[in-house]
PDB file of all heavy atoms in Angstrom:
ATOM      1  N   HIS A 711      55.887  32.593  90.687  1.00  0.00           N
ATOM      2  CA  HIS A 711      55.768  33.975  91.150  1.00  0.00           C
ATOM      3  C   HIS A 711      54.423  34.599  90.790  1.00  0.00           C
ATOM      4  O   HIS A 711      54.096  35.685  91.243  1.00  0.00           O
ATOM      5  CB  HIS A 711      56.882  34.842  90.551  1.00  0.00           C
ATOM      6  CG  HIS A 711      58.244  34.495  91.051  1.00  0.00           C
ATOM      7  ND1 HIS A 711      59.117  33.719  90.328  1.00  0.00           N
ATOM      8  CD2 HIS A 711      58.871  34.808  92.200  1.00  0.00           C
ATOM      9  CE1 HIS A 711      60.239  33.583  91.009  1.00  0.00           C
ATOM     10  NE2 HIS A 711      60.116  34.232  92.149  1.00  0.00           N
ATOM     11  N   LEU A 742      53.374  37.707  93.836  1.00  0.00           N
ATOM     12  CA  LEU A 742      54.550  38.567  93.996  1.00  0.00           C
ATOM     13  C   LEU A 742      54.207  40.036  93.872  1.00  0.00           C
ATOM     14  O   LEU A 742      54.763  40.870  94.586  1.00  0.00           O
ATOM     15  CB  LEU A 742      55.639  38.181  93.003  1.00  0.00           C
ATOM     16  CG  LEU A 742      56.971  38.879  93.235  1.00  0.00           C
ATOM     17  CD1 LEU A 742      57.559  38.492  94.582  1.00  0.00           C
ATOM     18  CD2 LEU A 742      57.935  38.581  92.133  1.00  0.00           C
ATOM     19  N   LEU A 745      53.048  41.012  97.276  1.00  0.00           N
ATOM     20  CA  LEU A 745      54.140  40.959  98.252  1.00  0.00           C
ATOM     21  C   LEU A 745      55.153  42.072  98.033  1.00  0.00           C
ATOM     22  O   LEU A 745      55.705  42.609  98.984  1.00  0.00           O
ATOM     23  CB  LEU A 745      54.848  39.603  98.180  1.00  0.00           C
ATOM     24  CG  LEU A 745      54.067  38.408  98.673  1.00  0.00           C
ATOM     25  CD1 LEU A 745      54.836  37.122  98.383  1.00  0.00           C
ATOM     26  CD2 LEU A 745      53.786  38.531 100.163  1.00  0.00           C
ATOM     27  N   ARG A 746      55.390  42.402  96.781  1.00  0.00           N
ATOM     28  CA  ARG A 746      56.368  43.438  96.441  1.00  0.00           C
ATOM     29  C   ARG A 746      56.036  44.759  97.131  1.00  0.00           C
ATOM     30  O   ARG A 746      56.901  45.438  97.662  1.00  0.00           O
ATOM     31  CB  ARG A 746      56.390  43.618  94.936  1.00  0.00           C
ATOM     32  CG  ARG A 746      57.249  44.753  94.487  1.00  0.00           C
ATOM     33  CD  ARG A 746      57.092  44.957  92.995  1.00  0.00           C
ATOM     34  NE  ARG A 746      57.782  46.178  92.633  1.00  0.00           N
ATOM     35  CZ  ARG A 746      57.371  47.003  91.721  1.00  0.00           C
ATOM     36  NH1 ARG A 746      56.270  46.756  91.042  1.00  0.00           N
ATOM     37  NH2 ARG A 746      58.045  48.100  91.454  1.00  0.00           N
ATOM     38  N   GLY A 747      54.751  45.117  97.121  1.00  0.00           N
ATOM     39  CA  GLY A 747      54.329  46.368  97.758  1.00  0.00           C
ATOM     40  C   GLY A 747      54.609  46.362  99.248  1.00  0.00           C
ATOM     41  O   GLY A 747      55.041  47.369  99.807  1.00  0.00           O
ATOM     42  N   MET A 749      56.958  44.682 100.693  1.00  0.00           N
ATOM     43  CA  MET A 749      58.399  44.589 100.923  1.00  0.00           C
ATOM     44  C   MET A 749      59.134  45.878 100.565  1.00  0.00           C
ATOM     45  O   MET A 749      60.293  46.048 100.922  1.00  0.00           O
ATOM     46  CB  MET A 749      58.979  43.423 100.113  1.00  0.00           C
ATOM     47  CG  MET A 749      58.407  42.072 100.495  1.00  0.00           C
ATOM     48  SD  MET A 749      58.883  40.769  99.347  1.00  0.00           S
ATOM     49  CE  MET A 749      60.521  40.402  99.936  1.00  0.00           C
ATOM     50  N   HIS A 750      58.489  46.768  99.805  1.00  0.00           N
ATOM     51  CA  HIS A 750      59.101  48.018  99.356  1.00  0.00           C
ATOM     52  C   HIS A 750      60.396  47.764  98.585  1.00  0.00           C
ATOM     53  O   HIS A 750      61.419  48.405  98.823  1.00  0.00           O
ATOM     54  CB  HIS A 750      59.350  48.965 100.537  1.00  0.00           C
ATOM     55  CG  HIS A 750      58.119  49.240 101.340  1.00  0.00           C
ATOM     56  ND1 HIS A 750      57.068  49.986 100.857  1.00  0.00           N
ATOM     57  CD2 HIS A 750      57.747  48.817 102.581  1.00  0.00           C
ATOM     58  CE1 HIS A 750      56.110  50.036 101.773  1.00  0.00           C
ATOM     59  NE2 HIS A 750      56.487  49.325 102.817  1.00  0.00           N
ATOM     60  N   LEU A 751      60.323  46.792  97.653  1.00  0.00           N
ATOM     61  CA  LEU A 751      61.469  46.436  96.823  1.00  0.00           C
ATOM     62  C   LEU A 751      61.055  46.478  95.360  1.00  0.00           C
ATOM     63  O   LEU A 751      59.876  46.438  95.035  1.00  0.00           O
ATOM     64  CB  LEU A 751      61.948  45.010  97.163  1.00  0.00           C
ATOM     65  CG  LEU A 751      62.475  44.757  98.561  1.00  0.00           C
ATOM     66  CD1 LEU A 751      62.709  43.258  98.776  1.00  0.00           C
ATOM     67  CD2 LEU A 751      63.763  45.537  98.804  1.00  0.00           C
ATOM     68  N   SER A 752      62.050  46.514  94.484  1.00  0.00           N
ATOM     69  CA  SER A 752      61.740  46.391  93.058  1.00  0.00           C
ATOM     70  C   SER A 752      61.203  44.980  92.822  1.00  0.00           C
ATOM     71  O   SER A 752      61.379  44.086  93.652  1.00  0.00           O
ATOM     72  CB  SER A 752      63.006  46.609  92.217  1.00  0.00           C
ATOM     73  OG  SER A 752      63.872  45.498  92.342  1.00  0.00           O
ATOM     74  N   LEU A 753      60.571  44.786  91.695  1.00  0.00           N
ATOM     75  CA  LEU A 753      60.004  43.480  91.377  1.00  0.00           C
ATOM     76  C   LEU A 753      61.087  42.400  91.370  1.00  0.00           C
ATOM     77  O   LEU A 753      60.907  41.318  91.936  1.00  0.00           O
ATOM     78  CB  LEU A 753      59.280  43.533  90.026  1.00  0.00           C
ATOM     79  CG  LEU A 753      58.470  42.312  89.657  1.00  0.00           C
ATOM     80  CD1 LEU A 753      57.342  42.076  90.654  1.00  0.00           C
ATOM     81  CD2 LEU A 753      57.906  42.459  88.260  1.00  0.00           C
ATOM     82  N   GLN A 754      62.219  42.700  90.761  1.00  0.00           N
ATOM     83  CA  GLN A 754      63.315  41.731  90.678  1.00  0.00           C
ATOM     84  C   GLN A 754      63.873  41.411  92.068  1.00  0.00           C
ATOM     85  O   GLN A 754      64.121  40.250  92.391  1.00  0.00           O
ATOM     86  CB  GLN A 754      64.420  42.242  89.764  1.00  0.00           C
ATOM     87  CG  GLN A 754      65.502  41.211  89.514  1.00  0.00           C
ATOM     88  CD  GLN A 754      66.537  41.694  88.513  1.00  0.00           C
ATOM     89  OE1 GLN A 754      66.682  42.896  88.280  1.00  0.00           O
ATOM     90  NE2 GLN A 754      67.262  40.772  87.934  1.00  0.00           N
ATOM     91  N   GLU A 755      64.063  42.431  92.898  1.00  0.00           N
ATOM     92  CA  GLU A 755      64.580  42.206  94.255  1.00  0.00           C
ATOM     93  C   GLU A 755      63.594  41.417  95.098  1.00  0.00           C
ATOM     94  O   GLU A 755      63.980  40.503  95.829  1.00  0.00           O
ATOM     95  CB  GLU A 755      64.884  43.549  94.939  1.00  0.00           C
ATOM     96  CG  GLU A 755      66.059  44.281  94.350  1.00  0.00           C
ATOM     97  CD  GLU A 755      66.169  45.705  94.869  1.00  0.00           C
ATOM     98  OE1 GLU A 755      65.122  46.366  95.064  1.00  0.00           O
ATOM     99  OE2 GLU A 755      67.305  46.152  95.081  1.00  0.00           O
ATOM    100  N   ALA A 756      62.321  41.744  94.989  1.00  0.00           N
ATOM    101  CA  ALA A 756      61.298  41.014  95.745  1.00  0.00           C
ATOM    102  C   ALA A 756      61.241  39.560  95.295  1.00  0.00           C
ATOM    103  O   ALA A 756      61.143  38.645  96.124  1.00  0.00           O
ATOM    104  CB  ALA A 756      59.931  41.683  95.571  1.00  0.00           C
ATOM    105  N   ALA A 757      61.315  39.327  93.975  1.00  0.00           N
ATOM    106  CA  ALA A 757      61.295  37.951  93.454  1.00  0.00           C
ATOM    107  C   ALA A 757      62.462  37.154  94.004  1.00  0.00           C
ATOM    108  O   ALA A 757      62.299  35.999  94.422  1.00  0.00           O
ATOM    109  CB  ALA A 757      61.330  37.970  91.930  1.00  0.00           C
ATOM    110  N   ARG A 758      63.638  37.757  94.050  1.00  0.00           N
ATOM    111  CA  ARG A 758      64.826  37.069  94.563  1.00  0.00           C
ATOM    112  C   ARG A 758      64.668  36.744  96.044  1.00  0.00           C
ATOM    113  O   ARG A 758      64.939  35.632  96.485  1.00  0.00           O
ATOM    114  CB  ARG A 758      66.075  37.925  94.317  1.00  0.00           C
ATOM    115  CG  ARG A 758      67.359  37.243  94.734  1.00  0.00           C
ATOM    116  CD  ARG A 758      68.637  38.020  94.406  1.00  0.00           C
ATOM    117  NE  ARG A 758      68.520  39.450  94.234  1.00  0.00           N
ATOM    118  CZ  ARG A 758      68.483  40.073  93.053  1.00  0.00           C
ATOM    119  NH1 ARG A 758      68.534  39.395  91.933  1.00  0.00           N
ATOM    120  NH2 ARG A 758      68.390  41.382  92.988  1.00  0.00           N
ATOM    121  N   GLU A 759      64.204  37.726  96.828  1.00  0.00           N
ATOM    122  CA  GLU A 759      64.024  37.507  98.269  1.00  0.00           C
ATOM    123  C   GLU A 759      63.012  36.397  98.548  1.00  0.00           C
ATOM    124  O   GLU A 759      63.246  35.510  99.373  1.00  0.00           O
ATOM    125  CB  GLU A 759      63.589  38.797  98.963  1.00  0.00           C
ATOM    126  CG  GLU A 759      64.645  39.868  99.031  1.00  0.00           C
ATOM    127  CD  GLU A 759      65.853  39.435  99.851  1.00  0.00           C
ATOM    128  OE1 GLU A 759      65.665  38.809 100.913  1.00  0.00           O
ATOM    129  OE2 GLU A 759      66.982  39.721  99.415  1.00  0.00           O
ATOM    130  N   VAL A 760      61.870  36.449  97.861  1.00  0.00           N
ATOM    131  CA  VAL A 760      60.820  35.441  98.056  1.00  0.00           C
ATOM    132  C   VAL A 760      61.320  34.064  97.619  1.00  0.00           C
ATOM    133  O   VAL A 760      61.089  33.060  98.289  1.00  0.00           O
ATOM    134  CB  VAL A 760      59.534  35.848  97.293  1.00  0.00           C
ATOM    135  CG1 VAL A 760      58.526  34.713  97.252  1.00  0.00           C
ATOM    136  CG2 VAL A 760      58.920  37.089  97.938  1.00  0.00           C
ATOM    137  N   ARG A 761      62.033  34.017  96.493  1.00  0.00           N
ATOM    138  CA  ARG A 761      62.551  32.746  95.976  1.00  0.00           C
ATOM    139  C   ARG A 761      63.557  32.117  96.951  1.00  0.00           C
ATOM    140  O   ARG A 761      63.461  30.930  97.264  1.00  0.00           O
ATOM    141  CB  ARG A 761      63.187  32.973  94.600  1.00  0.00           C
ATOM    142  CG  ARG A 761      63.660  31.727  93.920  1.00  0.00           C
ATOM    143  CD  ARG A 761      64.082  31.975  92.473  1.00  0.00           C
ATOM    144  NE  ARG A 761      64.981  33.102  92.290  1.00  0.00           N
ATOM    145  CZ  ARG A 761      64.632  34.268  91.736  1.00  0.00           C
ATOM    146  NH1 ARG A 761      63.409  34.479  91.324  1.00  0.00           N
ATOM    147  NH2 ARG A 761      65.523  35.229  91.599  1.00  0.00           N
ATOM    148  N   TYR A 762      64.506  32.898  97.432  1.00  0.00           N
ATOM    149  CA  TYR A 762      65.504  32.336  98.357  1.00  0.00           C
ATOM    150  C   TYR A 762      64.865  31.897  99.677  1.00  0.00           C
ATOM    151  O   TYR A 762      65.252  30.879 100.245  1.00  0.00           O
ATOM    152  CB  TYR A 762      66.663  33.317  98.593  1.00  0.00           C
ATOM    153  CG  TYR A 762      67.701  33.242  97.502  1.00  0.00           C
ATOM    154  CD1 TYR A 762      67.772  34.209  96.509  1.00  0.00           C
ATOM    155  CD2 TYR A 762      68.596  32.184  97.444  1.00  0.00           C
ATOM    156  CE1 TYR A 762      68.715  34.127  95.495  1.00  0.00           C
ATOM    157  CE2 TYR A 762      69.549  32.091  96.443  1.00  0.00           C
ATOM    158  CZ  TYR A 762      69.603  33.064  95.468  1.00  0.00           C
ATOM    159  OH  TYR A 762      70.539  32.967  94.461  1.00  0.00           O
TER     160      TYR A 762
END
Side-chain angles (χ1 to χ4, degrees):
H711 293 100
L742 189 63
L745 290 173
R746 174 186 172 216
M749 298 170 81
H750 305 291
L751 297 172
S752 72
L753 189 62
Q754 187 175 20
E755 291 169 322
R758 184 175 23 259
E759 291 297 318
V760 169
R761 184 171 49 252
Y762 277 103

